[in-house]
C-alpha cells in the first residue's frame, strides 16, 4: 500500500476504495441495474472508447441512474467503433455504434432514461443459443 504523504493522497485513496466498494455492492444484483458494456479492444480505444466509458460512468452517476459500466473486448464491429452494448432490465441488449460523447449523452438521456430509441443501433446478425 502506498504511503500517505498529504491530505490529498488520503482523499485519493478514499475515493479509489469507495469506487471499488460501489462496484462490489452493485455486482450483487446486476440484473436489476442498467448494464453498459464498452468495447475496449485496440480499435475501440483508438476510436475514443476510453473517453466514452469515462463519460458514461460520470454522467450516469450524476443523473442518479443505477448502472454497471464495464469494459469488454472486441464485439466484432470494428467499422463502427466506439461501440457500446446497453441492457435495460427486462429488455434485450442493444448495441450502438459510432458512439462519441454527444451520442453517449443522447443514449443516456433518451434511451436509458426515457426508453426512446436513438440513431446508431447496430442490427443483430446472430442468434443466441440456449
Amino acid at each position: 500500500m502506498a504511503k500517505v504523504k498529504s491530505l490529498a493522497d488520503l482523499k485519493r485513496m478514499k475515493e479509489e476504495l469507495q469506487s471499488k466498494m460501489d462496484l462490489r455492492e452493485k455486482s450483487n444484483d446486476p440484473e436489476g441495474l442498467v448494464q453498459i458494456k464498452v468495447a475496449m479492444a485496440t480499435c475501440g480505444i483508438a476510436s475514443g472508447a476510453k473517453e466514452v466509458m469515462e463519460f458514461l460512468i460520470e454522467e450516469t452517476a450524476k443523473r442518479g441512474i443505477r448502472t454497471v459500466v464495464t469494459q469488454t473486448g472486441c464485439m466484432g464491429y470494428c467499422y463502427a467503433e466506439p461501440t457500446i452494448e446497453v441492457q435495460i432490465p427486462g429488455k434485450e441488449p442493444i448495441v450502438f455504434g459510432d458512439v462519441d460523447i454527444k451520442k453517449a449523452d443522447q443514449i443516456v438521456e433518451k434511451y436509458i432514461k426515457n426508453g426512446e430509441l436513438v440513431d446508431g443501433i447496430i442490427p443483430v446478425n446472430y442468434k443466441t443459443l440456449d
Side-chain angles (χ1 to χ4, degrees):
M1 185 172 257
K3 290 185 179 181
V4 178
K5 297 180 181 178
S6 68
L7 183 58
D9 290 345
L10 185 61
K11 286 181 180 179
R12 181 184 46 76
M13 288 175 63
K14 178 186 173 197
E15 288 172 6
E16 288 173 5
L17 291 171
Q18 187 64 45
S19 68
K20 289 178 185 176
M21 290 301 298
D22 288 345
L23 181 58
R24 258 191 221 142
E25 289 172 6
K26 288 179 180 180
S27 67
N28 290 336
D29 181 31
E31 293 81 21
L33 303 172
V34 174
Q35 297 181 39
I36 304 172
K37 296 177 185 170
V38 181
M40 294 283 280
T42 305
C43 51
I45 294 168
S47 299
K50 187 173 186 291
E51 292 80 12
V52 169
M53 184 170 178
E54 290 170 357
F55 175 82
L56 289 167
I57 292 169
E58 291 172 13
E59 286 302 310
T60 55
K62 281 181 191 175
R63 299 176 196 195
I65 302 169
R66 297 192 55 208
T67 59
V68 174
V69 180
T70 57
Q71 67 183 42
T72 187
C74 181
M75 289 189 202
Y77 303 112
C78 298
Y79 65 90
E81 291 294 348
T83 55
I84 66 170
E85 178 185 283
V86 180
Q87 183 167 11
I88 295 175
K91 295 185 177 183
E92 290 293 316
I94 293 181
V95 177
F96 294 92
D98 298 311
V99 180
D100 56 9
I101 301 297
K102 183 179 177 183
K103 184 172 280 184
D105 187 49
Q106 290 176 346
I107 292 167
V108 171
E109 195 60 35
K110 292 183 177 180
Y111 179 63
I112 295 174
K113 285 183 76 176
N114 299 323
E116 300 173 28
L117 295 177
V118 297
D119 287 337
I121 295 173
I122 298 175
V124 174
N125 58 1
Y126 61 88
K127 275 190 176 176
T128 303
L129 300 175
D130 290 327

